[in-house]
Amino acid sequence: MPSALSRGVANVAERAQLPPSLAISTVIFALRPGHEGCPTLWMPLVRRVREPFRGQWALPGGPLTAAESLEDAARRNLAETTGLAPAYIEQLYAFGGLRRAHRDEVGAQRVVSIVYWALVRADETALAGQTGLAGEQENVAWHPADPAHGGPGTLAFDHREIVDYALWRLRSKIEYAQVAYHLLGEMFTLAQLREVHEAVLGRSLDPANFRRQLKGTPHLEATDHYLEGGRHRPPRLYRYTGPRSL
Amino acid sequence: MPSALSRGVANVAERAQLPPSLAISTVIFALRPGHEGCPTLWMPLVRRVREPFRGQWALPGGPLTAAESLEDAARRNLAETTGLAPAYIEQLYAFGGLRRAHRDEVGAQRVVSIVYWALVRADETALAGQTGLAGEQENVAWHPADPAHGGPGTLAFDHREIVDYALWRLRSKIEYAQVAYHLLGEMFTLAQLREVHEAVLGRSLDPANFRRQLKGTPHLEATDHYLEGGRHRPPRLYRYTGPRSL
């Protein structure tokens, strides 16, 4: 939404001198089958229907209005564009590098994006469509997050860099049991935990080595529950006991 | 700095409807002797010379201009208001809660603050003054960060809450060896590391217990160097080997 000034008063040269405007975007990761059938990290994207970057995929987002907090704006923009309503959402980073403006229209008003992120369970990944405007379905879709797994190599604005930063955070700063808790729910098997590692790292791991390395992992606790199913020896369920914040 | 619109066109009611404006603030922590002589966390504050909150202490900060990145704006505002130039500065959080506006002037334009933070060594803590404008000295000063150690209980805007959030981050999410690295330099003794713990936690620790708990601390490595000085048994120096990011 352009500000009153950029809409009405300013020409191109004046717009570039305006105070930066603010947008709120969201990076949502979920575990879904990848192109080889293995669980992979996916994210919802929205196709731009106007310039700049018309036709390209972008992160769900929009403006911050006067009457809402940053997190409320993130949730509202996400719900309006995708229909998603994650239980838990957190601030990732504020992006406002100068290159952002240069990759936009020439002389466009600078935009600073405050980005929120969330990890959601597969049962939370239904996108809006039926309830949306006509034609909205084909403009909102899940994509693999990593270009190495079939994700889009380019996105509108600097959104590719923002997603890469979110992937880096996921890979470097967060406990895998915590990621599993967010992506899978309260309880999960060690095989599911390994699949989360593989999805985040983007490569397969040896199951025996993986189980050995899990010894002493903080905040991972065996429960007295077992996964129900048709197997003669149902696997034990584990629980994440650490902090929820990403 | 008010935007062109808030300066010229808008009345109070219109200003409250403007898109939020952006400010960049900085929280800088350094270790300095506290009111009981023990090392304590201090931060530089700037006294406001105009309304709102005239006469109250505030975090160093200012506007984001069109030609600079968020970090460059943080560094420039910090240097202009205090003369400080930390080697390493990092984004802390973007604050934009609705309560911010209500604690400002009635109907004021909403301000979202992107806050950067840094931990600096004592030899980096000289404030501007001689080079600043006349009268600037008495309006820039170091204060204890925590009200429990003599710090100001109230600050302009929501800056007290921002500092409390930074203290919480320091206490909960960061390794103490990393804090010591930033506050003390490349190498430090275990006694200095304990003083850092005590300054961050705000309470004294038993030296023998502390040494026992340090066993197995990640990213803490004994060096072959010893602190030079007059003692007959100079203490060994340690090094932090983990990531530098806060």
Side-chain angles (χ1 to χ4, degrees), chain B residues 35-211:
Chain B
H35 54 144
E36 284 162 354
C38 310
T40 304
L41 287 176
W42 291 65
M43 61 185 174
L45 296 174
V46 179
R47 203 200 308 261
R48 287 187 58 81
V49 295
R50 63 184 66 169
E51 295 296 342
F53 298 102
R54 183 175 180 164
Q56 287 197 41
W57 293 96
L59 292 170
L64 173 68
T65 67
E68 61 195 345
S69 71
L70 300 181
E71 182 179 324
D72 288 346
R75 289 186 170 283
R76 179 185 51 74
N77 284 318
L78 181 65
E80 284 176 6
T81 50
T82 67
L84 294 170
Y88 183 84
I89 193 165
E90 189 168 326
Q91 195 181 103
L92 173 67
Y93 203 76
F95 295 85
L98 276 177
R99 283 186 306 142
R100 308 200 80 211
H102 296 308
R103 297 176 63 179
D104 197 325
E105 305 165 273
V106 174
Q109 184 179 10
R110 181 169 171 197
V111 176
V112 171
S113 285
I114 299 174
V115 178
Y116 279 74
W117 68 328
L119 308 178
V120 302
R121 298 188 311 273
D123 60 359
E124 297 181 285
T125 59
L127 294 174
Q130 296 86 323
T131 56
L133 300 168
E136 200 167 293
Q137 281 115 315
E138 67 230 49
N139 289 325
V140 185
W142 287 89
H143 296 261
D146 193 329
H149 304 114
T154 58
L155 296 172
F157 307 106
D158 58 352
H159 290 186
R160 183 68 254 168
E161 290 162 50
I162 292 175
V163 174
D164 288 344
Y165 175 79
L167 285 171
W168 172 80
R169 276 278 289 270
L170 208 56
R171 286 166 181 160
S172 68
K173 289 199 175 180
I174 293 179
E175 297 170 40
Y176 285 100
Q178 186 184 18
V179 176
Y181 160 77
H182 285 289
L183 292 177
L184 298 172
E186 288 295 335
M187 294 193 283
F188 41 83
T189 66
L190 292 188
Q192 289 175 320
L193 182 56
R194 177 170 49 79
E195 286 181 343
V196 166
H197 279 241
E198 291 174 334
V200 170
L201 291 174
R203 57 186 172 82
S204 56
L205 299 167
D206 178 70
N209 274 341
F210 178 76
R211 278 170 185 261

Side-chain angles (χ1 to χ4, degrees), chain A residues 27-58:
Chain A
V27 179
I28 310 295
F29 289 137
L31 218 52
R32 315 181 104 215
H35 56 145
E36 284 161 353
C38 310
T40 305
L41 286 176
W42 292 65
M43 60 185 173
L45 296 174
V46 179
R47 204 199 306 262
R48 287 187 58 81
V49 295
R50 64 184 65 170
E51 296 296 344
F53 298 102
R54 182 176 180 163
Q56 286 197 43
W57 294 97

Side-chain angles (χ1 to χ4, degrees), chain A residues 3-5 16-22 64-70 72 90-98 110 112 114 116 168 173 245-246, chain B residues 3-5 16-22 64-70 72 90-98 110 112 114 116 168 173 245-246:
Chain A
S3 72
L5 251 183
Q17 294 307 313
L18 285 175
S21 75
L22 254 179
L64 172 68
T65 65
E68 61 195 344
S69 71
L70 300 180
D72 287 346
E90 189 168 327
Q91 195 180 104
L92 174 65
Y93 203 77
F95 295 86
L98 276 177
R110 178 166 172 201
V112 171
I114 298 175
Y116 278 74
W168 172 80
K173 289 199 174 179
S245 62
L246 297 177
Chain B
S3 73
L5 251 183
Q17 294 306 311
L18 285 176
S21 75
L22 254 179
L64 173 68
T65 67
E68 61 195 345
S69 71
L70 300 181
D72 288 346
E90 189 168 326
Q91 195 181 103
L92 173 67
Y93 203 76
F95 295 85
L98 276 177
R110 181 169 171 197
V112 171
I114 299 174
Y116 279 74
W168 172 80
K173 289 199 175 180
S245 62
L246 298 178

Side-chain angles (χ1 to χ4, degrees), chain A residues 65-131:
Chain A
T65 65
E68 61 195 344
S69 71
L70 300 180
E71 182 180 324
D72 287 346
R75 290 186 170 281
R76 178 186 52 75
N77 284 317
L78 181 65
E80 282 177 7
T81 51
T82 67
L84 295 170
Y88 183 83
I89 193 165
E90 189 168 327
Q91 195 180 104
L92 174 65
Y93 203 77
F95 295 86
L98 276 177
R99 285 184 304 143
R100 308 200 80 210
H102 297 308
R103 298 176 62 179
D104 198 325
E105 304 164 90
V106 175
Q109 184 181 10
R110 178 166 172 201
V111 176
V112 171
S113 285
I114 298 175
V115 178
Y116 278 74
W117 69 328
L119 308 178
V120 303
R121 297 189 311 275
D123 60 0
E124 296 180 286
T125 60
L127 294 174
Q130 296 87 323
T131 55

